[in-house]
Structure formats: structure tokens, C-alpha cells
Amino acid sequence: MCSVLLMQSILSGFFFLCYGRRVRAEYLSWIAAVSAVVSAAIVAAMGYYFTPGGDGVAFVENVAWIEQLGVRYHVGVDGFSLVFCAMTVLITCAVVSSEEAKGLEASRCLGLTFLAQASALGVFMARDGLLFYFFWESSLIPLFLAIGMDGSQLRRGAAYKFFVYTFVCSALLLLAVLFLGYKSQSYDLASWERLPLGFYEQSILFWISVLACAVKVPLVPLHTWLPDAHPEAPTYGSVILAATMLKLGGYGFLRLVLPVFPEASSYFAWVMLALALCALVYAGLLAWVEEDVKKLIAYSSIVHMAVVVLGLFVVFECPPAVARDVGALAVVGAIVQMLAHAFSSGGLFMGFGALYKRIGKRMMQDYGGVGSVMPLLSLLFCGLMFNNSALPGTSGFVGEFLVLVGVFHVHPLLALVAASSVLLTALYGLLCVRKVFFGQVVSFEVDSMARLSAREAMPLILFSAAALWVGLYPRGVTTVLMEPATQLVVSMLRANKAVGG
Amino acid sequence: MGYDSLIKTLWLLPLVTTLLGIGVVALQLERCWAHRVAIMGHVLSLTVALGLGWRFMQQTLTHTAATIYTWLSSPALTIAVGYYVDRTACLMLAMVTFVALAVVLFSVRYMQDDPGYRHFFVYVSGFVFMMLTLVLADDLVVLFMGWEGMGVMSYALIGYYLSKTSAADAAYKAFVVNRIGDMGMLLGIAGCVYAQGSTHIQTLLLGLPGLLQESVVLLGYDVGVVPLVAACFLLGVMAKSAQIPLHIWLPGSMEGPTPISALIHAATMVASGVYLVLRMAVLFDAAPWVQNIMALLGASGALWLGLVAVFQDDIKKVAAYSTLSQLGYMVAALGVRAYSLALLHLIVHAMFKALLFLATGAYKTAFNTQDITKLRGLGWHAPWLGLAYTTAALSLSGVPPFSGFFSKEAIVHSLVHPSTELWGGGYVAFCAVFGVAVTSFYSFQVVWSLFARTPVSDVLSKQQSLGGEMSAALIMLSIPSVVLGGVMFAFTEQGGLLGPVRANWSIFVGKEATLAAANAMRLALTEPSLYCALLGMLLAFFYVHNPVWTARVQKSFLGQWLKSGYALDRAYERFIWQPWRTAASLVAYYVEQHTIDAGVEKGVALGTWQVASSVSGVYVGLVKRSIQIMLMAALGMFVVGLWLIFKS
């Protein structure tokens, strides 16, 4: 099942890249829609027939790949993977349904979207260290191409910066992977979790892996590539970058950093919490004074992903009596926060992309009064902004709230700092809404903008519906996540008890 | 129908109305369908709410509760969407649906020429759904959904005239200020999970005795968990129910259409903070210092924000500051544990304040102005409208036998003679008593001006008719403004309407300040508040009829300062908004651009590049450069890796 999904994504991607231009435009959209729906259907089927084994993994495929090194093609799906796969496929559906994926020029957009989907799915499903690393790195290529080829004026610099940053830091990850493989004579991720590592080894490997993940997430101070990449990226590039690629970082924490280096994670948890709290306030304040809408959404991503990091590391600082239950809840919260962020940032980039396409400007002062010109867009944009600012009843709230519950168990004052994100997101998000959508219509250009077309509205509606669904019925998602989250937390706590006690 | 289906129907009706309204917008049906749907929906809601209340009154049932679906389930925390209805909730439900119906009727004429007519009714129905969610919720998270959902609807409706800059700014300000309160709410809810492992209100309150000893260390001080949680919720109450110093969003919210101000910013949403405290009263009882703060804040608002209303020319602004003052009374009453009196004032206030706002809106429709200087003397030319306004003013001032008298008299009594230990009790009593004089002064300043015998301005020549719906709405609200207070008070004495509300909270039976209706008149003669009200009316008469005084007072520095609401807006702008904006800009420039970005990029990336270039010795292109960097990185990794492997 996993391989079918992967192959289908990869083949679709290469098909659009190689043959997209030879197909007639109207067929292209249909083919893309069919491929996206097939991917979605496969993931849906996976969810429906999801019966995990004892280790919580289902649909396992495990064959030898590079036998000399003990590297195996080992893929499988557990609760975490399932949710992330569903998210990835949803984002592909949104991109495929959008206006950008229409017409002859769309073949590159479609191809890169499917390749990005393939690499993200690969990361989410890999159970082998080297395979994980392979997909992790390959995810750079589609985005590098998207920014570098379809971006705006300064695209080369942005693509270069994006690539170097993420590549250099995740190349270090290879070191960690090779070392772990050498040490355990296997690249099986599950076997790494049982690997007895000395504290110094753990610490060094922990920081190397954290570096790789933190750049992807991104965590302050390694974040500066993101606000540079987004404004130059094309709309679909921004959507995939924000909605899928940043999640790889969070998933890296879940799959690699936390389970494999539990003692180091526990020892340095306070550093991560402090970094995340600083990042949250810092990026929130920067977003508040940002005039470029795409940069604003980028800083908003940093705020939200800081909340994710907070949720992932909270378990180590919780009072021991409740650490298991509350820690699992916070981990679930962090994952739901990633989903929520995918919906809101993806949707916001799509929504703003519609404006950008019309007058080609990114600064807030170039807009104003859009609400009376494009009412549907302003409604959806505003709604996604509310999801972004954790409005109860939307997915943003679920993540934020569960993480906050965890942080409150650590210390109420830390919770106060974490809760300031609620204020900050409203401060910058609604200031953006106020400047772009409210007020007098500033120019003739804005006044003559065409209304939202059906294909422009489609992804926004998709994202809004997803945000509402998760917000009103989070149990659908959290029941899938609760099991593996509890397992993860239990194993981490057990490892720490073995060392500490 | 059983309770269960009645309550579910009531909950869903506004949602269905909203969805139908969206259908009207989407299909661009005739405008009349927008209000037909809304009126129909709200009539049904009101009927169901009254039916529910009626059944509740006839039975000895204290409450009914049920779960609808499980929102979240985990070992640490389970949250279910469900309802909890007691008599307090029944009263709130009836009040909300009643005022909503009046407002919808009123809006048919008021919003007649508005291009967004169809949207407007969707917002109103959506708001009512959110408010009912808040009232019915039995879980704090669900309550918070209603709480914030109302905030969003309020945001949309304050910014309803979205091309108006002032409206856009006011909407932004309202939401952001409310977000400060929402932070408090979130922390409070998280604190409940911390303390009790639950957000279910009844579970929480029942488990309270076991939590009284628990505390956390904050900055070296031992703070009890329960007071901490109560203080967090108080922050939410302060924002939503517009208490000093977070009240600044409410005067700005008057940028929205007047019917909305009547519904959201006078009758229902702003009272939801009070309702929250009523639902969680036991929790607040266990936090005496939080209650003390409530009493002080509320009483301060009652007097000092009422004083601002005296200096407003815009009668809508008068009503807005009056709302702030009356909310102050409610919160102060909560602070001295006079819960059923706060509830009584909440309900009664909703009626007469909605009437006051709608009368203001009717003046706007009839004469296209809300400026008291232009409306001077027009009372005689639109006598029924003048009568409606006067009814509201009398009730607001607390003149017997109007509704406001009963609640306000009792509240002032309980503030002057608090049943609990109260720090600053003298100040609270002072504010409460003089607040009454100020209230009647500003209300009657408008009334006397309306009925002044002076030549009227030219607005009379352009008078518009009000139409049937608008008049119906005014009449509908006038009746309870006159009689509801007395009726509810009578029931209180019999232990009917409000009695069991107290009985549910058995923890504080006997502690609560109550007042029997029979005593109300006797007390009124011995207590200062009625005299204060009459004095205020009298002073207002002389003030209005002496234009020289009026002008002098208005022009004085003090008058100007009070008119601007103590210049608080400017102070917030200068001392909070601007410094933070400046600091953030400086951080963006120096830290972000010139330290982190430049440091990482130039220091690390260019450093690597220079090493790479010097190794290759030739100028290289973009792709080559990156390849070189990769190679360098790989080399470095290889070396470190070897070292690591051999070291282990």
C-alpha cells in the first residue's frame, strides 16, 4: 500500500514534468485531479483498514535494499504517519484544485507538487534510517526548483539561501544516521530506539539532529531563510513549503530526536523550551511590524512551529506523576498544531496568492478595502486568519490548547508566555486583515480586481472545511494519535528512569 | 417534548437560521427573504425558550444536563460537548432570544437601505447561536467556543461598515483587547485541567473542596491554585464585560450598526462575563481577594465611567458609557456575592438598555442624527419615541416602580452593607451611591433636552416614519423595562424564579446578600440611593436649562478630559502601543536583519564559501558554489564522523 502510494506520486510527478506540455491543457487538469484523488483514496483506504500490529505499525513492507550496509527498504504506517500522510495528500489536492494548476504552464507546478508529495510521504512512512534520510533530502529538490524557476524577481538568491541552509544542516544529519547505523549494525529506526548510547554520544547526536530539524521547522535563530524564501516563492511553492515541508522538521523530532535520544532530549529539554518560548514572542513581534504579507505569514509559521516544539518537549519538565498522560496530550497537541498550521498557512498563502496574481504586489499599503471588492476572499481569508490565531472551534485552538495544558503543568508563568501567542497572532493577523481588507479602496487597481473564481475559492474552502472539522471534532484525529503518542512518551520516560533512577 | 429535545431544538434553531441566511446570501434571493428567515427563526427560538422556562418554573427540577458528543478523549482529559440548564440559564435563554427578536424586527427598517442587508441577518443569527452555546455549555471549552465565537461576530459587526476607517480600527481594537481576556480564559481553563484534570464545570465545582489547600509558587509567593484560576477568569471577565482598564474597546464598538450595539454591546455579549462568574460562583467564593478586586473594579467603573457619559454629545455614546457603568454595578455585585441580584440586574438591564439603544437608533432613523444638540426639543414632535426613551431612562435611573429600581436598589444596598469582609468597602459604597446620582443625571440630561421647550433644529423637516416593525420592537422592550423587575422580585421572594438558583449552590446559602421585595420600598426610603437618583434628575434639569453653565462645564479642561474618557485611548496609544511597535521595529532591524540574518549568512555561509573559493582558486558559478559547499560540509562530516566512530 505504502509503495503503491509512493510510486503513484513519483510517477505522477515525473509524468507531469516530462510529458505535461504535450498533453492538451484541459486534459492536464483532469489527469492531475485523478492522480490527486487516487492518492487521497489510497490514504483514505489506509485509514479505513488501519489495524496496527503490536508495535503500532501497519502496512509494513520490508525488503533488503543495500544488503552490505544493512540498509532496507522498510516502510510502514503508524498513527503519526497516517495523520501526516493525510495532511500531505490534502495539500496536494488543494494545490491541484487551485487556479495555478490550470493551463499549459501548470505542468511544472503539478510535477513538482507530486514530487514534493512523494518525498514528504516517504519521510512520513520510512521506518529505515537511511531511507528516511534519502526522502528527507530529496524533499529539497522540488522546492528548490519551484522557487528558483517559478519565483519572483529575487528568486535565485532565495532559492540558494533556502537550499544551502537546509542542506548544510540536514547533511549533518547524515552523519548521525551513519553513526547510528554503524553502531547498531542496522538502519532500522525501531532498533535505534533500543540502542544503548552513552550520554556524550547522545548529546552530540541530539544536537546534530536538532540542528537538522530546527532549520526545517524553523526555530529561531535558524529561521531567516523562511521569510526570505516565501516572498520569492510562487504560490504553490509557498503552500507546499509552509504546509508540508516545515512539518518534516516536526516529524523529525517525533521520529528521530525524541525516541532515539530520550536522555539527551530530557537533559536539554529546558533549552528547547526556552528557545521555543523566545521564538514564539520574537517571531510574533516581528510579524506585527512586517509590511510584506507573505513575510508576515512566514513569521506566523515560525510562531506556530515554536508552539509545536514546546508541545514536543514539555513532557520532560512535567511533574512525574502526570508526565505520561499530560505529556502524551501535549505531543498530540503539537501534532494537531502542525495540522492546523498546514491548513491556515496553506490557505493564507493561497488566498494572498489570488491577490498577488491580480496586482503583483506584496506590501500591505498597496492593498486596502479589498473586502468590498472581493467579499468571498475576505471571508475565507479572515476565517483562516482566525484559525491561525487559535479561535475555539477551529483546529488552531485544539493544538494551542493542548500544548498550553502541558506547559501549565510545567509552570503557570511559562504558560503565560506561551499563551501570549494567542494575543500576538491576533495582533498581527488582524492588523493584516485590517490593512488589506478593511478601509477605503486605495487604488483603481484594487477597485478593478476580478472576483474570486471557483478554482481560486476551492482550495480555500477545502482548507477552511478541514480546519473546522478538526476544530469541532478533534477526537477523529486525536484517537489515531493518542496511541502512538502515549507509546512514545512511555518509552521516553522509561529510558530516562533507567538512566536517572 | 422532553427537556432534552426542547433544549437541542433551541440550540440548533439559530444555527439553522444562520444556514438558511447563508443560503439567502449565496442565492442572492430577494431582500425580504433575509428578514423573513431571521424573524421566523427568532420567533421560534423565543417560543421554545419561553416554553422551556415555563416548564422549569413549574417543576422542582434544579437542572438538567446531557452530553451530545465527545470532543476529545484521552487519559488526561476528556471534553464533551453538552448542555447544562438550570434556572439561571433559562432566564438567560429567554432574555437572549427576546432581545434578539426585538433587534431583528428593529433592523428590518433600520438597515433598509443597506447594501449588505442579507449578510447582516446572517451575522445576527450566528451571534445568537454563539451566545446560546455560551449559555448552554456545561464544559469550559465549549463555553469558550461560544465566548470567542461571539467575539468574532462582534468583530464582524463592529467592522460592518468596513470601508469606514474608524469602524475598521474599532473592530481591530475590540478583538485585540478581548484577546487579552481570552488569554486569561485559556490560562484559567488550562489551570482547571492542572488542578482537577477536567474542564467540566460541574465536576470542577464539586471537586473544589479538595483543591482549596493546593498551591503553586509564583515568583516566590505561594498562590492557591483556586484563586489563581479565578484571577485568570477574572481577566476574561474584565475584557468581555468591559471593566477598567480593559473597557476601552466598548465605546469604539459603537461604530457598528445601532441594533447591534443594542444586542451585542449592551444586552447580551458584554453580560457574558457576568454569566461566567454566575456559573462558576463557587470557585470565586473560594477566592476572596479576587472577589474584592471585582468589587473595587466594578464600583470604580460604575461611578467613573458613568461620569464620562455626562459629557457626551452623541446619545449613542451616552448609552455606551452607561452600559459600562451598569456592567460595573453587576461586577461589583458579584464581588460582594450578591449573585442573584447581579443576575436580576443583568436581565433587567438587557431590557431597558436594549430599549435605550433602539430608541437611539430610532432617532437616527427618524431624524438622521444622534447628536443631542440637534435633537433638543424633538421629544414633543415624536412623543411616542420620546416616551420609549424616557421609559428606558427611568428604568435605568432606578425610579420606582420601573424595573431598574428593584435590581439597582438591591445592589446598592448590598454594596453599602457588604456581607463579606471587603477591603476598600467605604470606597465601594461611595462609588455605588454616587454612581446612582450620576446615572440619573446623564439619562435625564438627555430626556430633559429632548423635552426642552426650545425652537427645534432643521432635522425635524426631514423626519422619516419609523414603520411597524420598529415600533413593535420598541413596544416589545418597553413592557419588560417597566414591569419585569417587579415581577422577578416577587418571584424571588417566593423562592420561585431565583430561589433555586441559590439552592443549587448550597455552599454559600446564607452568605449571599438578598433582599425581599417587601423590604425594597422600605429600604428605598431609608437608603440614600433613591434620593441620589432623584437628586440627579433634578440637577440634570437645572443643568440642561442653563445653557451658560452647560457650555462652561463642557468647555472646561475637566469637561474635555472627561469627554475623551479620561484620555485613556491616547494614553494607551502612546504608552503601550507605540513603545511596543517601536521596540518590535528596532528588533526587526537590528536583531533580525543585522544580527541573526547577517551573522548566520555572512558569517557561516560566506565563510564556507570563501574557504571553498580559496581551495578552488577560481571564481565559480552559483551551482558550483553550492556543490563546493556541499563537498566541504561532507568532508567536515566525514572527519568528525571518523573521530566519533574511533572514539567510541
Side-chain angles (χ1 to χ4, degrees):
Chain A
M1 208 99 162
C2 299
S3 304
V4 175
L5 183 58
L6 273 176
M7 283 318 289
Q8 189 257 337
S9 311
I10 294 172
L11 287 179
S12 311
F14 281 114
F15 170 79
F16 289 118
L17 281 184
C18 303
Y19 301 103
R21 280 168 195 282
R22 299 187 204 167
V23 183
R24 279 173 58 187
E26 55 267 43
Y27 295 151
L28 195 66
S29 292
W30 281 110
I31 298 170
V34 168
S35 333
V37 168
V38 168
S39 302
I42 296 174
V43 174
M46 273 177 166
Y48 189 75
Y49 294 107
F50 182 65
T51 40
D55 52 350
V57 189
F59 308 112
V60 181
E61 288 162 48
N62 190 354
V63 291
W65 185 23
I66 312 174
E67 273 185 78
Q68 293 83 349
L69 294 176
V71 181
R72 302 181 70 80
Y73 173 80
H74 184 182
V75 290
V77 173
D78 67 353
F80 292 155
S81 316
L82 191 64
V83 170
F84 280 101
C85 289
M87 180 196 79
T88 312
V89 170
L90 179 81
I91 288 153
T92 308
C93 286
V95 173
V96 165
S97 72
S98 75
E99 183 81 28
E100 266 201 316
K102 204 169 138 186
L104 267 186
E105 291 306 306
S107 53
R108 186 155 64 214
C109 156
L110 288 171
L112 295 178
T113 304
F114 276 100
L115 285 184
Q117 173 188 308
S119 55
L121 288 175
V123 171
F124 296 143
M125 295 190 299
R127 318 294 304 182
D128 180 278
L130 212 66
L131 194 67
F132 178 87
Y133 179 77
F134 170 78
F135 283 118
W136 176 278
E137 289 291 48
S138 68
S139 70
L140 293 182
I141 297 164
L143 270 172
F144 176 69
L145 294 177
I147 300 173
M149 295 168 89
D150 285 342
S152 52
Q153 295 88 350
L154 303 171
R155 60 180 180 269
R156 280 164 186 258
Y160 177 59
K161 192 169 177 180
F162 159 73
F163 192 83
V164 169
Y165 251 88
T166 39
F167 182 79
V168 169
C169 289
S170 46
L172 289 173
L173 187 63
L174 180 61
L175 182 72
V177 167
L178 289 176
F179 177 79
L180 286 166
Y182 168 81
K183 183 92 189 206
S184 72
Q185 296 300 317
S186 153
Y187 283 88
D188 189 20
L189 279 173
S191 74
W192 289 358
E193 293 174 22
R194 296 185 293 272
L195 197 62
L197 289 168
F199 181 72
Y200 287 104
E201 285 170 325
Q202 272 217 14
S203 302
I204 293 168
L205 293 170
F206 169 80
W207 282 112
I208 290 174
S209 324
V210 164
L211 199 64
C213 296
V215 164
K216 273 239 156 77
V217 162
L219 197 60
V220 175
L222 299 169
H223 64 285
T224 50
W225 62 271
L226 189 74
D228 280 359
H230 271 308
E232 305 307 326
T235 299
Y236 75 91
S238 284
V239 172
I240 296 170
L241 181 59
T244 316
M245 289 305 147
L246 303 191
K247 308 303 170 298
L248 296 186
Y251 187 80
F253 277 116
L254 272 178
R255 186 59 80 217
L256 191 69
V257 176
L258 291 175
V260 182
F261 318 117
E263 289 110 77
S265 304
S266 169
Y267 189 78
F268 295 112
W270 65 274
V271 182
M272 300 305 290
L273 290 185
L275 269 179
L277 285 175
C278 292
L280 186 152
V281 177
Y282 177 78
L285 284 177
L286 289 185
W288 186 34
V289 288
E290 187 54 65
E291 287 293 315
D292 181 329
V293 179
K294 284 189 110 179
K295 273 195 176 188
L296 183 141
I297 307 170
Y299 279 118
S300 160
S301 298
I302 300 170
V303 175
H304 286 99
M305 296 308 280
V307 175
V308 171
V309 174
L310 212 54
L312 292 177
F313 280 90
V314 129
V315 53
F316 301 109
E317 301 289 331
C318 275
V322 293
R324 195 188 73 133
D325 293 347
V326 173
L329 204 61
V331 168
V332 171
I335 296 167
V336 177
Q337 174 79 358
M338 286 195 242
L339 285 183
H341 172 255
F343 303 150
S344 56
S345 63
L348 289 175
F349 277 122
M350 277 291 183
F352 186 72
L355 284 179
Y356 183 73
K357 204 187 73 187
R358 283 171 173 71
I359 64 173
K361 287 174 180 165
R362 292 197 308 262
M363 295 296 164
M364 285 185 207
Q365 78 245 19
D366 298 324
Y367 296 91
V370 177
S372 45
V373 187
M374 301 174 73
L376 183 60
L377 176 70
S378 40
L379 180 73
L380 292 167
F381 194 91
C382 227
L384 288 161
M385 208 45 122
F386 279 123
N387 178 39
N388 198 35
S389 63
L391 189 85
T394 63
S395 54
F397 172 73
V398 184
E400 184 89 35
F401 173 65
L402 296 183
V403 171
L404 196 69
V405 165
V407 179
F408 199 99
H409 280 81
V410 178
H411 200 275
L413 287 179
L414 290 186
L416 179 67
V417 181
S420 72
S421 78
V422 174
L423 177 62
L424 285 166
T425 44
L427 265 178
Y428 65 72
L430 293 188
L431 190 64
C432 171
V433 168
R434 190 245 166 279
K435 285 187 178 171
V436 173
F437 294 96
F438 283 89
Q440 295 282 334
V441 177
V442 287
S443 60
F444 178 69
E445 231 177 352
V446 170
D447 200 27
S448 53
M449 287 194 303
R451 293 216 164 190
L452 209 62
S453 72
R455 284 201 64 170
E456 282 170 326
M458 200 113 82
L460 295 179
I461 292 170
L462 199 62
F463 281 127
S464 309
L468 265 183
W469 181 67
V470 175
L472 292 175
Y473 189 67
R475 193 160 62 109
V477 179
T478 52
T479 39
V480 181
L481 293 172
M482 200 54 83
E483 182 75 30
T486 312
Q487 260 177 26
L488 173 68
V489 168
V490 165
S491 72
M492 286 192 297
L493 292 175
R494 194 185 297 132
N496 275 304
K497 203 173 277 174
V499 171
Chain B
M1 274 206 280
Y3 280 116
D4 188 60
S5 39
L6 264 181
I7 293 167
K8 280 178 185 161
T9 313
L10 179 58
W11 203 347
L12 284 180
L13 266 172
L15 183 64
V16 174
T17 315
T18 313
L19 294 176
L20 288 176
I22 291 174
V24 172
V25 174
L27 300 174
Q28 291 290 308
L29 296 182
E30 285 293 317
R31 286 158 76 97
C32 62
W33 283 106
H35 65 246
R36 275 182 198 163
V37 164
I39 291 174
M40 211 49 213
H42 287 101
V43 166
L44 283 174
S45 307
L46 178 61
T47 317
V48 177
L50 289 177
L52 185 69
W54 182 248
R55 291 190 66 165
F56 241 91
M57 269 172 57
Q58 290 183 328
Q59 295 182 9
T60 49
L61 195 65
T62 55
H63 70 271
T64 170
T67 300
I68 296 174
Y69 72 88
T70 309
W71 190 78
L72 177 84
S73 103
S74 77
L77 177 64
T78 300
I79 297 172
V81 176
Y83 60 80
Y84 175 89
V85 178
D86 56 7
R87 297 194 179 202
T88 316
C90 276
L91 276 175
M92 291 291 288
L93 293 172
M95 182 275 278
V96 172
T97 47
F98 185 82
V99 177
L101 178 61
V103 162
V104 166
L105 280 175
F106 187 86
S107 305
V108 174
R109 169 76 177 84
Y110 188 85
M111 303 300 289
Q112 201 175 36
D113 306 319
D114 195 271
Y117 192 75
R118 298 182 190 87
H119 297 108
F120 179 82
F121 289 100
V122 177
Y123 288 141
V124 174
S125 310
F127 170 79
V128 174
F129 173 66
M130 295 300 179
M131 182 81 200
L132 292 193
T133 307
L134 177 118
V135 173
L136 290 168
D138 70 339
D139 192 288
L140 282 170
V141 170
V142 183
L143 183 142
F144 193 44
M145 285 183 197
W147 179 278
E148 284 251 52
M150 288 193 304
V152 171
M153 290 300 164
S154 157
Y155 171 79
L157 284 163
I158 296 172
Y160 183 74
Y161 302 114
L162 68 123
S163 50
K164 221 168 115 190
T165 311
S166 56
D169 287 336
Y172 177 64
K173 184 163 91 178
F175 198 83
V176 166
V177 172
N178 268 302
R179 263 291 152 119
I180 298 175
D182 295 342
M183 254 173 81
M185 288 291 287
L186 254 180
L187 286 171
I189 299 172
C192 289
V193 180
Y194 172 76
Q196 186 84 334
S198 173
T199 54
H200 186 251
I201 296 174
Q202 298 306 314
T203 315
L204 213 65
L205 297 185
L206 287 174
L208 208 61
L211 299 173
L212 295 178
Q213 303 307 320
E214 282 187 34
S215 64
V216 286
V217 180
L218 288 184
L219 304 174
Y221 291 97
D222 245 3
V223 183
V225 172
V226 175
L228 182 69
V229 168
C232 289
F233 284 130
L234 175 62
L235 193 64
V237 173
M238 280 164 62
K240 209 55 151 192
S241 289
Q243 296 299 305
I244 298 171
L246 297 181
H247 66 278
I248 46 155
W249 66 272
L250 194 89
S253 75
M254 296 298 128
E255 291 290 342
T258 305
I260 290 311
S261 307
L263 177 65
I264 302 186
H265 305 118
T268 53
M269 184 183 85
V270 286
S272 55
V274 177
Y275 179 72
L276 176 77
V277 180
L278 286 173
R279 286 298 287 270
M280 312 273 293
V282 186
L283 181 87
F284 284 86
D285 273 350
W289 59 268
V290 175
Q291 284 190 324
N292 203 338
I293 293 174
M294 274 171 28
L296 289 170
L297 284 178
S300 306
L303 175 61
W304 303 115
L305 296 177
L307 212 50
V308 177
V310 173
F311 295 88
Q312 303 300 317
D313 290 330
D314 185 342
I315 55 172
K316 198 174 171 188
K317 278 278 164 70
V318 174
Y321 278 101
S322 154
T323 305
L324 288 172
S325 161
Q326 300 307 307
L327 285 168
Y329 275 112
M330 289 178 218
V331 171
L334 295 173
V336 293
R337 299 184 178 171
Y339 297 110
S340 46
L341 299 183
L343 177 63
L344 181 65
H345 197 51
L346 193 166
I347 304 282
V348 171
H349 171 258
M351 300 300 163
F352 65 69
K353 191 49 67 66
L355 178 62
L356 195 73
F357 267 105
L358 291 190
T360 304
Y363 274 113
K364 173 89 177 164
T365 306
F367 301 109
N368 198 26
T369 181
Q370 293 170 174
D371 194 332
I372 188 60
T373 51
K374 287 185 185 157
L375 289 172
R376 205 175 160 89
L378 283 173
W380 302 109
H381 298 275
W384 291 109
L385 186 51
L387 185 65
Y389 196 96
T390 311
T391 309
L394 282 167
S395 196
L396 171 62
S397 308
V399 175
F402 288 86
S403 292
F405 164 73
F406 293 95
S407 58
K408 192 178 270 179
E409 188 70 33
I411 285 182
V412 173
H413 176 77
S414 64
L415 289 176
V416 176
H417 308 287
S419 59
T420 52
E421 195 74 25
L422 195 63
W423 186 87
Y427 171 73
V428 170
F430 166 80
C431 287
V433 171
F434 281 91
V436 175
V438 170
T439 306
S440 68
F441 187 91
Y442 65 67
S443 335
F444 273 85
Q445 191 190 348
V446 178
V447 172
W448 298 135
S449 296
L450 284 175
F451 289 97
R453 295 222 176 257
T454 47
V456 293
S457 61
D458 59 338
V459 291
L460 183 60
S461 56
K462 293 172 210 141
Q463 186 177 0
Q464 307 271 324
S465 72
L466 291 183
E469 289 101 343
M470 211 176 233
S471 312
L474 291 174
I475 295 167
M476 207 176 138
L477 285 167
S478 294
I479 296 165
S481 295
V482 179
V483 299
L484 187 64
V487 171
M488 280 175 68
F489 225 98
F491 273 109
T492 312
E493 199 185 13
Q494 292 168 9
L497 206 55
L498 295 178
V501 177
R502 288 202 305 279
N504 285 351
W505 303 327
S506 52
I507 291 183
F508 51 82
V509 160
K511 279 197 237 163
E512 194 192 358
T514 49
L515 196 64
N519 287 336
M521 285 308 291
R522 187 173 55 75
L523 271 172
L525 298 176
T526 53
E527 293 285 325
S529 65
L530 180 61
Y531 300 113
C532 277
L534 296 175
L535 182 73
M537 285 164 69
L538 204 64
L539 283 177
F541 185 80
F542 291 120
Y543 180 73
V544 167
H545 288 275
N546 274 289
V548 184
W549 285 11
T550 318
R552 195 174 290 168
V553 174
Q554 298 266 2
K555 282 210 186 84
S556 69
F557 173 74
L558 200 66
Q560 291 293 319
W561 187 54
L562 280 166
K563 190 179 179 188
S564 66
Y566 305 102
L568 271 181
D569 270 345
R570 224 176 320 144
Y572 281 131
E573 168 106 24
R574 186 175 297 173
F575 296 114
I576 298 174
W577 176 264
Q578 290 292 359
W580 277 99
R581 288 285 289 185
T582 316
S585 309
L586 289 177
V587 167
Y589 184 76
Y590 286 106
V591 182
E592 174 76 359
Q593 277 184 352
H594 288 266
T595 309
I596 298 183
D597 199 21
V600 176
E601 195 171 337
K602 301 218 167 60
V604 181
L606 292 186
T608 324
W609 174 22
Q610 269 166 5
V611 173
S613 315
S614 63
V615 169
S616 67
V618 286
Y619 176 76
V620 284
L622 189 70
V623 180
K624 280 187 186 169
R625 237 180 264 155
S626 14
I627 293 172
Q628 278 175 340
I629 291 170
M630 288 173 215
L631 286 176
M632 289 298 294
L635 192 70
M637 285 179 330
F638 186 64
V639 173
V640 180
L642 281 180
W643 174 72
L644 266 176
I645 289 167
F646 284 112
K647 189 183 148 281
S648 56

